[in-house]
Amino acid sequence: MIKIKNLSCGYNKIAVVDNISTDISECSFIGIIGKNGAGKTTLLKSLSGLLKPYSGNIFINGTDIYKMKRNLLAKKLSFLPQNMPIDFPFIVKDFIMFGRFPHMNFFKYALKEDYKKIEEIMDFTETKEFAERSILELSGGERQKVLIAQTLAQETDIIAFDEPTSHLDIGSQSSIFRLLRILNIEHKKTIITTIHDLNAAGEFCSNLILMDKGTIFKSGTPTEVLNYKDIETVYNTTVVVKTNPVSNKPVVIPVFSDNK
Ligand code: ADP
C-alpha cells in the first residue's frame, strides 16, 4: 500500500536519509528503530508529506504523495509529531475537533456528524472525562491521549507517530501502545511509528525497520530484527535478548558494562 522507492531527503541539501526503499503493507504496525540521529524522524516526516525528497518517491496506493493535493493526503495519512508545543489553553473537545478540518465543508464549521465522530473518539481514547478542561492542565499521559484523539479525528487509514510515548511513565506508555494496538488490529489502521523502547517495539509492532546512518540496516519481524548481533552492531552496546514467555516476543535487555 505504501511504497518508498530510492528515497533520499534531509536538510540544507544534505541527505540524512539515503536511498531508502521499502514497502509497507496495509494494516501493518511498523516500528522505526535506531540510534539517535539515524534519520528516523526525517524518514517519517518525508513519509508524511512534510519534507520533500531530494530524490526518490513515496507512493500510497500507486500515487506519489508529493503529487497529491494536501487535502487529499490529509484524508489518507495523519501524522502526530513529537513533543508538539501547545501554549494556548484550548478546551480539549475543541482541540480534538481541529482534527476534523480536512473533512469539513468549505465554510469549515462542524456538523452533527463531526460532533458524533468526536464523541466516539473521546470514548475510545478515554478522553471524555477531561473534555471540558484546558489542555494545559493535563498530565503528560492525558495530553498525549488528546493529541492521539485529534489525530484520529482526521479519520485516515494510515497514522504516523513520532515517539508517541516519549517522556511518559511506563504505565502511560503501555496504555498508549495498547491504544495503538487496538487501532491496528480492530480498526485496521496502518500504524507507522518511531520508537526508542526496543521492548515495546518487539511487543507491539508487526514489523521493524532498523535504521543506521540514514539507511535501512535491517527490516523484518521483531524476532528477525531484534537479535543481539544486529542490535549490538547498530547501538554499539552489549545486550541480551530473551523471549517473553507469554507473548513469545523478543525482550532486549541492555547490559551496561565498562567494555563498551
Ligand atoms: P532520529 O529521529 O533518528 O534521532 P533525525 O531524523 O531527527 O534522527 O535526525 C537525523 C539527522 O538530521 C541528525 O544529524 C540531525 O541533526 C539532522 N537534523 C534533524 N532535523 C534537522 C533540521 N531541522 N535541520 C537540520 N538538520 C536536522
Side-chain angles (χ1 to χ4, degrees):
M1 155 202 234
I2 303 177
K3 188 170 198 60
I4 301 176
K5 200 171 160 211
N6 302 115
L7 175 74
S8 295
C9 56
Y11 313 92
N12 310 317
K13 299 189 180 132
I14 299 167
V16 299
V17 165
D18 187 16
N19 200 22
I20 277 186
S21 295
T22 191
D23 290 347
I24 294 174
S25 51
E26 213 166 313
C27 299
S28 51
F29 190 146
I30 306 292
I32 307 175
I33 58 173
K35 280 199 301 196
N36 290 330
K40 304 182 293 297
T41 298
T42 306
L43 170 62
L44 204 64
K45 278 197 231 163
S46 205
L47 190 64
S48 304
L50 300 174
L51 187 68
K52 204 167 189 297
Y54 296 145
S55 57
N57 309 83
I58 300 157
F59 300 98
I60 296 181
N61 296 333
T63 309
D64 187 327
I65 63 165
Y66 285 91
K67 292 188 177 143
M68 263 183 216
K69 289 215 161 87
R70 298 291 312 174
N71 204 45
L72 181 62
L73 181 61
K75 287 181 181 170
K76 291 187 181 298
L77 182 149
S78 46
F79 173 53
L80 179 56
Q82 195 182 153
N83 301 328
M84 213 161 74
I86 301 167
D87 47 20
F88 188 82
F90 293 110
I91 298 302
V92 165
K93 66 176 184 348
D94 298 339
F95 184 80
I96 296 173
M97 184 63 87
F98 296 155
R100 296 295 301 157
F101 229 63
H103 296 278
M104 287 180 187
N105 60 18
F106 179 77
F107 299 103
K108 299 290 180 201
Y109 55 78
L111 301 174
K112 215 159 128 192
E113 68 220 43
D114 295 307
Y115 287 106
K116 187 164 170 272
K117 185 49 70 184
I118 294 304
E119 288 286 315
E120 283 168 23
I121 289 170
M122 287 196 298
D123 276 338
F124 173 67
T125 52
E126 295 169 352
T127 49
K128 216 172 209 168
E129 58 189 288
F130 28 85
E132 304 293 336
R133 285 170 58 191
S134 151
I135 193 164
L136 299 184
E137 291 171 10
L138 305 181
S139 74
E142 291 166 344
R143 184 178 181 277
Q144 193 62 359
K145 281 188 177 172
V146 171
L147 287 163
I148 291 175
Q150 191 196 62
T151 310
L152 296 186
Q154 214 176 308
E155 265 199 302
T156 60
D157 288 338
I158 308 165
I159 315 176
F161 297 96
D162 194 8
E163 283 291 329
T165 59
S166 59
H167 311 304
L168 299 184
D169 64 69
I170 51 173
S172 302
Q173 284 184 32
S174 129
S175 105
I176 298 281
F177 278 121
R178 283 198 306 268
L179 201 65
L180 301 194
R181 170 144 58 194
I182 297 172
L183 280 174
N184 174 239
I185 294 175
E186 291 177 20
H187 298 242
K188 310 273 179 248
K189 304 283 185 190
T190 303
I191 307 278
I192 308 168
T193 183
T194 62
I195 177 167
H196 260 298
D197 185 325
L198 297 181
N199 294 331
E203 184 61 41
F204 291 99
C205 298
S206 59
N207 290 80
L208 298 177
I209 297 175
L210 173 57
M211 288 188 69
D212 190 32
K213 303 182 189 84
T215 62
I216 296 180
F217 184 88
K218 190 162 186 173
S219 63
T221 63
T223 309
E224 286 163 348
V225 175
L226 297 178
N227 64 81
Y228 84 92
K229 269 195 182 151
D230 288 332
I231 298 301
E232 289 189 352
T233 304
V234 168
Y235 288 85
N236 194 31
T237 191
T238 309
V239 295
V240 172
V241 179
K242 299 266 188 201
T243 302
N244 178 335
V246 178
S247 65
N248 236 1
K249 300 285 178 64
V251 177
V252 182
I253 306 158
V255 180
F256 299 115
S257 65
D258 290 336
N259 301 339
K260 278 188 173 174

